[in-house]
């Protein structure tokens, strides 16, 4: 019987190029042993002495350069069972604890890629919801990530509206106090119809923002 790998995953919700919120995905490197060239959220194993929350935050920082705190983590599921396919054709069964984190002040240009990934993108909430409803249309995402969208797209959309909009309103209010220009914030900034932001090459990642 194949070993079941205990993993953690974190679903980062950040702002796309147009300011609309979406889910940050990374494309696995071409030489990766597991699902090469497929899109996934930051994930990995829990190291000795770590809690699952600590592991999720470490993976987020290591794989994207973005930092968050345990207080910002939102538990989605602690025992998601799935499986992926390795480059050699063998199955990779896994059980994952999955968290979400809403960071509307972060953008694609804040992402710093490591060698394990070749690109980053922000998938708008509308497309994320579609992946949950029609996962077969997103064959270039890992099986586990399509399952996460299928199970939690509605909850993540609700989280974006309830957590991100007040932050944007406060930011707009602060800006209006220091500027003669009128600043408005609309709920459309977190609309589920957000589009997919273009991919950013790894060499340009530092200069984007």
């Amino acid at each position: 019987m194949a070993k079941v790998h205990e993993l953690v995953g974190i679903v980062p919700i950040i702002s796309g190029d147009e300011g609309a919120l979406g889910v940050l995905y990374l494309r696995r490197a071409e030489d990766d042993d597991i699902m090469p060239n497929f899109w996934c959220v930051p994930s990995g194993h829990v190291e000795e002495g770590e809690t699952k929350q600590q592991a999720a935050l470490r993976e987020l920082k290591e794989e994207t350069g973005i930092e968050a705190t345990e207080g910002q983590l939102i538990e989605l599921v602690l025992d998601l069972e799935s499986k992926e396919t390795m480059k050699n054709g063998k199955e990779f069964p896994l059980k994952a604890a999955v968290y979400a984190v809403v960071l509307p002040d972060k953008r694609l240009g804040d992402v710093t890629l490591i060698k394990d990934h070749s690109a980053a993108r922000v998938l708008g909430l509308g497309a994320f919801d579609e992946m949950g409803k029609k996962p077969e249309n997103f064959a270039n995402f890992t099986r586990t990530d399509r399952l996460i969208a299928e199970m939690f797209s509605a909850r993540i959309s609700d989280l974006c509206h309830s957590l991100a909009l007040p932050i944007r309103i406060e930011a707009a209010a602060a800006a209006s106090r220091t500027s003669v220009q009128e600043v408005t914030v609309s709920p459309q900034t977190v609309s589920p119809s957000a589009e997919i932001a273009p991919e950013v090459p790894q060499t340009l990642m530092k200069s984007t923002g």
Side-chain angles (χ1 to χ4, degrees):
M1 184 175 180
K3 175 185 175 181
V4 176
H5 298 264
E6 300 279 346
L7 303 178
V8 294
I10 184 165
V11 181
I13 296 102
I14 66 172
S15 295
D17 284 352
E18 301 301 322
L21 293 178
V23 177
L24 173 64
Y25 285 98
L26 309 173
R27 186 166 62 195
R28 303 181 71 88
E30 187 174 1
D31 59 354
D32 202 304
D33 289 334
I34 304 171
M35 304 300 287
N37 291 319
F38 277 69
W39 292 95
C40 63
V41 297
S43 59
H45 289 87
V46 180
E47 295 184 352
E48 185 176 355
E50 280 186 324
T51 65
K52 292 177 180 179
Q53 294 93 331
Q54 290 170 339
L57 294 172
R58 175 182 52 77
E59 292 292 345
L60 176 66
K61 182 178 180 180
E62 287 181 357
E63 298 188 6
T64 71
I66 293 175
E67 296 188 51
T69 66
E70 285 193 35
Q72 293 174 296
L73 289 179
I74 299 153
E75 179 186 306
L76 296 179
V77 62
L78 292 179
D79 55 358
L80 177 67
E81 295 184 359
S82 182
K83 59 183 177 181
E84 301 295 346
T85 303
M86 301 182 68
K87 185 184 290 187
N88 60 12
K90 293 183 178 180
E91 287 191 345
F92 183 88
L94 63 93
K95 180 184 290 185
V98 183
Y99 302 88
V101 61
V102 183
L103 303 168
D105 59 324
K106 299 299 183 182
R107 289 181 174 269
L108 199 56
D110 296 316
V111 175
T112 302
L113 291 178
I114 60 174
K115 61 180 178 62
D116 293 342
H117 302 105
S118 60
R121 74 193 299 182
V122 176
L123 188 72
L125 294 181
F128 183 75
D129 183 64
E130 183 182 352
M131 178 160 57
K133 295 175 180 176
K134 299 180 179 180
E136 67 276 6
N137 294 341
F138 293 79
N140 57 341
F141 287 74
T142 72
R143 183 181 302 168
T144 305
D145 284 273
R146 284 178 281 162
L147 182 58
I148 291 171
E150 184 178 355
M151 295 176 64
F152 301 111
S153 60
R155 185 176 178 194
I156 285 176
S157 180
D158 289 343
L159 286 172
C160 290
H161 283 81
S162 62
L163 296 180
L165 190 56
I167 296 173
R168 291 183 182 278
I169 291 174
E170 175 57 32
S176 68
R177 291 192 291 267
T178 59
S179 173
V180 295
Q181 296 179 345
E182 181 180 358
V183 179
T184 60
V185 175
S186 167
Q188 291 180 349
T189 56
V190 289
S191 168
S193 62
E195 296 181 354
I196 298 175
E199 296 179 11
V200 176
Q202 186 169 1
T203 55
L204 299 180
M205 196 62 62
K206 291 285 189 179
S207 61
T208 308

